[in-house]
Amino acid sequence: MTDTLRLALTLLACLGGGTVIGYVYFRALHETARLIVAQGHPLIGLALTFGRLGLLCAGFYLAVLAGAVPLLAALVGVMTAKAIMVRTAP
């Protein structure tokens, strides 16, 4: 496998992973906001907050291990998920 192909596959994996992590992150953020407005149980909101931050940090950490360009690809994936979530918000 050539280095170019390996880099391309790494970037695609980081972009896809960033998109999935971004979707889960912003979906959990939406649920946390809904819980706050509906005066739901505060521990669930706190668990969602720590869970989404932990997932985002873990995803970015894995991307950092691959290098700077894969980290940027993961960030683009997260921002893509954010744009999709904002457009499809009710």
Side-chain angles (χ1 to χ4, degrees), residues 21-88:
I21 288 172
Y23 176 79
V24 171
Y25 178 86
F26 290 110
R27 180 73 179 146
L29 181 62
H30 174 75
E31 288 301 315
T32 303
R34 189 187 59 75
L35 274 172
I36 291 171
V37 170
Q39 296 182 356
H41 201 275
L43 288 179
I44 295 173
L46 191 62
L48 281 171
T49 299
F50 286 138
R52 75 174 189 263
L53 289 175
L55 178 70
L56 191 67
C57 288
F60 281 150
Y61 178 73
L62 289 175
V64 162
L65 293 178
V69 176
L71 176 63
L72 289 174
L75 179 62
V76 167
V78 170
M79 293 295 108
T80 301
K82 178 186 174 200
I84 291 169
M85 295 284 292
V86 167
R87 284 185 186 253
T88 61

